[in-house]
Amino acid sequence: MSAADETDTPPPPPPPPLEEKSLRKKKKVTIEGDDGDNDEKSRTPLYQSTRLKGYLTLILASAINFNSAVQSQETISMNVVPAQDDQQNFAVAAAILSLMISIFVILLHLNPIKRLTKYWEKWFQPQESVVELLIISLLVIWWIVVTWIQTSVQGIAGDGKGQYNLYFSTWACLLTCIWTLERWLVARGLASFRGFLASWPNRAPGFIAIFLFSTADLLSV
């Protein structure tokens, strides 16, 4: 071999840094390791879930709604229209159902029974199960119906009835359920409601918002 050939030969590449080697090794171990163990290690603890804030807020709003429904027949002011028996019974039942479901879900998030942790941690992981999605969807549908019935003109908290605590706590329950549903969609890796509206071209998000508010206003009549 001549001296010119030795000069033209490129030098060997430098060895990769130690940090890069360690990252590759960790990635290889993660891929080739036991999938079940990796899933359990990668799961977010339920008490750190962002949806837990929604359930806690729903308990507070449902408790206020329940107390307002119980006192809906007590007319302290002349501007308050007392509720009828069937209206009061429906409002109390709606608040109790919401309280029971939200308390049950919060207990599962706080993990009171250690032996069953692996079951409900899997059920309430958005990447692995849709059990929590079904529960939240049930709450959203339930409060849509309740808000429609109770805040309409003929409802217990309709226009001119003076049942302001019941009116605002009913809307608070509905909006809290919708917010919790959005948190689940984001945790699943899907687009949020805001991202979904922003993905529409031009002025379509504004028209969608007008349609939703107009529908809500129509149902309140």
Side-chain angles (χ1 to χ4, degrees), residues 47-162:
Y47 62 86
Q48 296 180 356
S49 169
T50 56
R51 282 100 59 201
L52 184 59
K53 299 178 182 178
Y55 296 122
L56 292 173
T57 306
L58 182 60
I59 283 184
L60 178 60
S62 299
I64 297 175
N65 191 268
F66 172 77
N67 182 65
S68 302
V70 171
Q71 299 179 358
S72 60
Q73 288 187 337
E74 300 177 4
T75 57
I76 301 177
S77 174
M78 295 293 295
N79 298 325
V80 179
V81 179
Q84 300 177 4
D85 292 337
D86 55 344
Q87 292 177 334
Q88 184 185 37
N89 294 336
F90 177 78
V92 171
I96 290 177
L97 179 61
S98 180
L99 278 171
M100 292 176 60
I101 295 177
S102 54
I103 291 174
F104 173 73
V105 175
I106 286 178
L107 289 178
L108 295 184
H109 277 69
L110 297 180
N111 192 14
I113 304 177
K114 300 295 183 180
R115 294 182 179 180
L116 302 177
T117 301
K118 60 180 180 180
Y119 295 106
W120 54 59
E121 277 196 351
K122 185 176 181 180
W123 295 343
F124 285 85
Q125 290 294 331
Q127 293 81 7
E128 302 180 18
S129 177
V130 295
V131 173
E132 188 175 10
L133 175 62
L134 297 177
I135 296 175
I136 301 175
S137 300
L138 174 63
L139 288 172
V140 171
I141 295 173
W142 174 248
W143 277 110
I144 287 176
V145 175
V146 172
T147 304
W148 176 22
I149 294 175
Q150 293 190 164
T151 61
S152 62
V153 175
Q154 298 179 353
I156 185 175
D159 188 19
K161 300 297 179 64

